[in-house]
Amino acid sequence: MDIKEITFCELDIPYDRELFCKEVDEHILPGSMEIEAIDKAGIAQFAHINRAWNMVPESEYMKDNSQKAWLVNSLIYCRSENKYLDMLSQAGSIVTRNRILDKGEWSWKPKYENLELTKFIKNLPLTDIIHARTLCLLPGKMAAIHRDDRTDSLSKTLLSDLGYISVTMNLSDGGQPLFYSLDSDEETPILANEPIYTFNDFNFHGVPYVNEMRRQVRVTGKPTPEFFGLLKQVTLKT
């Protein structure tokens, strides 16, 4: 199967959600960085998709949600000649994932290496991991509809071209599912709330206002042959 054709698929990989949430709260959140949600201009850019999806009432969707909304941390970092990218990698910035790729030297942060969560990630059917970060959405916040950073067009990304795929561990959902759509039908939402899945985040996606903290871990690497045997029902790009 060509990984470029996969939009979403649950993975048959069990794990201890309670344990990993505990490790995130006790060991990773204290060192996390607060980042802002998408600003009001960014929210307005794709408000028409929210209207079609009915993800959030329009009056609520257009509220200024630009205050601190996320706590992020990275379990790995990159040593790059570009000091700015080096700094961004400490927080697991999506920019470093999409720009450095395999050009830098990626290392695991020693203070997190003994966590069971880190050991689990290292044992995923992935090689050449270039992105492993925790991403926690704070209570009362939403993830406005967006696409993660593309490279040079709406149909091409260096990640998939170079053989990378992203895995999301949905440790706690905050009481809300992920909304996403296919490029061929942006106005029809698909809801997902599986414990662990692969998702092409270059597709439009968002999350309604959460009641509790939403904890996720996102990992990017190259799938091994074993990976494809763990795929459940696949949603293909159309």
Side-chain angles (χ1 to χ4, degrees):
M1 179 179 294
D2 186 349
I3 61 172
K4 297 179 188 178
E5 298 303 312
I6 300 174
T7 295
F8 182 95
C9 186
E10 183 180 2
L11 295 169
D12 188 12
I13 306 177
Y15 65 89
D16 190 332
R17 285 173 124 172
E18 183 177 353
L19 171 62
F20 291 167
C21 282
K22 185 173 185 289
E23 288 191 331
V24 167
D25 289 353
E26 293 181 358
H27 300 284
I28 299 176
L29 280 183
S32 296
M33 178 185 298
E34 288 187 333
I35 62 173
E36 294 180 353
I38 300 170
D39 61 22
K40 200 163 187 177
I43 292 172
Q45 183 179 7
F46 300 124
H48 64 287
I49 296 179
N50 177 66
R51 284 194 293 273
W53 291 4
N54 196 28
M55 184 181 86
V56 173
E58 188 169 3
S59 60
E60 295 293 314
Y61 189 77
M62 290 308 301
K63 284 183 178 179
D64 186 352
N65 194 47
S66 61
Q67 305 95 333
K68 302 292 192 232
W70 300 89
L71 290 173
V72 300
N73 204 340
S74 182
L75 304 180
I76 63 174
Y77 66 98
C78 181
R79 296 184 179 178
S80 168
E81 292 180 2
N82 185 318
K83 297 302 180 185
Y84 176 66
L85 292 177
D86 193 310
M87 180 271 293
L88 288 178
S89 78
Q90 295 292 331
S93 167
I94 208 74
V95 175
T96 58
R97 184 197 73 168
N98 292 355
R99 295 291 188 256
I100 296 179
L101 298 164
D102 55 358
K103 299 182 181 66
E105 179 187 345
W106 295 88
S107 302
W108 294 90
K109 290 183 179 178
K111 62 182 174 181
Y112 302 134
E113 273 204 283
N114 290 326
L115 297 179
E116 292 303 314
L117 173 60
T118 304
K119 295 174 186 176
F120 177 87
I121 293 170
K122 286 184 176 183
N123 284 320
L124 287 171
L126 300 171
T127 63
D128 303 309
I129 291 175
I130 60 169
H131 189 245
R133 73 167 177 170
T134 54
L135 187 66
C136 299
L137 183 60
L138 296 173
K141 299 295 182 180
M142 71 168 178
I145 296 167
H146 64 288
R147 299 177 187 266
D148 285 271
D149 191 355
R150 288 177 180 263
T151 53
D152 56 2
S153 74
L154 292 182
S155 60
K156 181 179 179 182
T157 74
L158 287 175
L159 282 174
S160 58
D161 285 351
L162 292 175
Y164 289 99
I165 200 161
S166 181
V167 170
T168 296
M169 298 171 62
N170 185 21
L171 303 186
S172 64
D173 62 17
Q176 296 287 4
L178 172 75
F179 281 60
Y180 75 92
S181 66
L182 302 175
D183 277 351
S184 60
D185 185 7
E186 294 174 352
E187 295 193 350
T188 300
I190 302 171
L191 276 59
N193 206 17
E194 286 73 8
I196 182 168
Y197 55 84
T198 181
F199 172 61
N200 183 345
D201 57 20
F202 297 98
N203 291 74
F204 280 117
H205 59 287
V207 177
Y209 287 99
V210 296
N211 301 317
E212 302 174 347
M213 182 176 288
R214 179 181 175 89
R215 302 169 182 83
Q216 295 198 324
V217 182
R218 298 184 185 171
V219 184
T220 302
K222 295 181 178 179
T224 66
E226 178 191 3
F227 179 90
F228 297 97
L230 298 170
L231 296 175
K232 290 191 175 182
Q233 187 173 352
V234 180
T235 301
L236 295 173
K237 175 182 176 182
T238 59

